[in-house]
Amino acid sequence: MSKRIQSYSIERQKARWGWIFVAPTLIFFSLFSFYPIFNAFYASLFRKKLLSLKPPDFIGFNNYSYLLKSPDFWNSIRATVVFTLGTFIPLLIFSLIFAIFIMSRKRFQNFFQMAYYSPAVLSSVVAAVIWLLIFDPRGLANQWVNFALNTPGIDHKWLASSVMVQISAMMVYFWKYVGYFTIIFIVGLASIPQSIYEASKIDGANDWKNFWYITLPLLKPTTILVSIMSMLQCLKTFSTQYLFTQGGAPLAPINVITLNIYHTAIRDHRIGRASAMSIILFIIMLFFTWLQFKFSRTDEVSY
Amino acid sequence: MKKLFVVFLFVIFVSITVNAATDIEITFWTHEDPNRTEIENRYIAEFEQANPGVTIKRVTSGSGQIQELILTAFAANQGPDIFNMSIEDEYAYIVNERLAPVDFEAAGYPSLQAIYDAYIPGVLDPVTYKGQLYGLPLELTNWCIYINKKIFRDVGLDPEKDYPKTWEEMMEVSDKIAIREGEILKRRGFDFRYPYYLVSWVPMVEQLGGKLISDDGKTAIINEEAWLKVLDYMREWGPNGRNLGSPTYTNARKLFNKDNNDVAMCLTGLYQQGRIRADNPEFYESGEWMVVPFPVFENAVKDVPAAYYGHYYMVNGQKPKENQQIAWKFIAFMLSHPEEYLTKVNIVQPTVKLMESATFKSMPYSEVFKNDMAKGHIVYYGESSAKIQSLIREAVESVMLAGVSPEDALKTLKRKVQEVLEEG
């Protein structure tokens, strides 16, 4: 009996310390994440203008029904989906290829890691400004492509055609974040025990078989992590599209949800409608986070 | 000892209270303009010296960022004491009653009417709301065409005679001046100021009899034929037409100052002269540039130049009364130097006295600007003018760049602007 009481109190003590350690993070998240989410949801139920001092009108779910009927909002969903699919798939494939390339080097591993990672350190605004200069009709992009394809004088309309401006936005994002995900893959690759490769070598497996039957399956949790992370990041993309439109690119092809939220709140002063849009984006992202949890539970790997 | 401690605390309390009562900090947010910064920093020093206990904190931001900085600050009830923006951006602050009306006594005028009398007629209308005056103009600007004479002569044109008087001539002259390497423009004749459609593009529609909003304010896009003609003109201008310019090329106004054979003409205000002088004094002094009026279409039904727009100094209505009074006093002090603003910054403060002064009349090409301004009207302003401008931009650029037909672009534009009007 006394043993049970003792273990019970130890458990309680442990739990208490657990709560103490977790409390700062919980408070932080409550203040800076949960409160803004609830506040945004609350604001989304009102017709509220950013500058007005008058009490806002309660309109229930009218902002949501307006958005679901708005062609502009559906265009933003389209632009976000196209950008996300067009960016996160190449990001996933190439970051894995670059990670394997770096890990296979015997020398200059640190140099390559630094070189690939450096664009991720740059602010998105600086990156987009650099690329705006590159994509100028008289800029380097046209010069390089025309030199490579021997097509002098062709304007590839990097920012001026609705298809090319979407591809350009994808290129900038890919360039900026491929290094970041490469580093995550490198960590995943480094955590695979060398003994497995040694055993397969004794069994006569070649590099290709090693990759397909050892590396790829054991890297599955990292691959899922990278795919979900990159997908969420792509769904939140803003600065590249914002700066492209400031640089004269047409808005509609790259009017992603975040850019639409920004315009609705800052240009149109309709904070209630912008909040409704951000709640919809939050639900979309929550769905993908749920997917991540679902896959990661069934794919735990033990060596 | 105890008594001594209480006396000590009392002295500290009194000194803090007295300091708090006399020391006032006025925050003043404005856009970057190096020429203005130089003279306004001097005005601040002089004002602070004449008004002990007052500190003016001047903060500058890029002209593209200041709108959102001020908006977010006001949304959080943390706006600055004094700010200025273009009237299209400021009007929402007036109708949402976020501003303090002009304190004529603090500003040194005997009455409110005296302020109206000091400025040219109509210029204070955009900042007059429900009988109250909410702003004093820092500058009133209209745009005309700047021409690089050397480039004209380079293609065998006489700039004094052959400058474009109509938009049709503008297209022909620009085509003659343009140098292309395949599809890429190496030199442009002229190019528009793309984001500012309300200032310079809507007047082109008005020349053909079109209108943005009906007189009763209920219907958007009047006279569709006029709109379609100007949209078609822009399609022809862009990369899918005669390829004379595009929003994706570097701003023509910035390149003009460099005199690098990049662009022969640009659309800008009197203030550009100060910037040419600062960026390229040799070009400024060379006499190789000139200014001509805003063109009109050959079959125009009205002679409408580019609209003029104002930047008005405004005062935050949520600040204490004392701050508001000092803010208006300081604004009036700055604005009591209109000739210095004109000669050092090349901006026009539209007082009757300045417009009639020898200083204004002796400014190069001031007559061209004055004549165009007399024919024009103030830019469209309303609570949703920023949104309407971006909807026009979407329509024009979809025609120029995305291959959308003028008819489809206009249909979408009309639907969206009408929705903005109906939502209020």
Side-chain angles (χ1 to χ4, degrees), chain A residues 49-53 66 71-72 136-138 142 146 152-157 159-162 242 245-252 262 265-270 273, chain B residues 68 71-72 74-75 77 92-93 96-98 181-186 239-240 247-250 255 262 318 383 386-387 390 393-394 397 401-402 415-416 419 423-424:
Chain A
K49 286 193 179 176
L50 204 53
L51 279 177
S52 176
L53 291 172
Y66 171 88
D72 266 359
D136 185 280
R138 300 196 298 184
N142 273 340
N146 287 337
I154 298 292
D155 181 3
H156 297 277
K157 296 177 182 161
L159 299 176
S161 104
S162 40
Y242 172 74
T245 54
Q246 296 292 304
L251 172 69
Y262 169 81
I266 303 295
R267 184 195 62 193
D268 308 345
H269 302 178
R270 298 192 180 280
R273 193 173 291 167
Chain B
E68 53 196 75
L71 181 73
T72 43
F74 267 88
N77 297 323
Y93 293 78
N96 283 298
E97 297 172 359
R98 302 300 299 262
E181 192 183 281
E183 297 168 351
I184 300 166
L185 277 162
K186 294 285 176 188
N240 299 320
T248 54
Y249 279 92
T250 309
L255 294 174
D262 289 313
Q318 285 180 306
E383 205 184 344
K387 174 157 189 165
S390 76
R393 177 186 171 179
E394 234 178 282
E397 292 178 9
L401 306 175
R415 177 178 56 78
K416 289 183 176 178
E419 189 185 307
E423 279 194 328

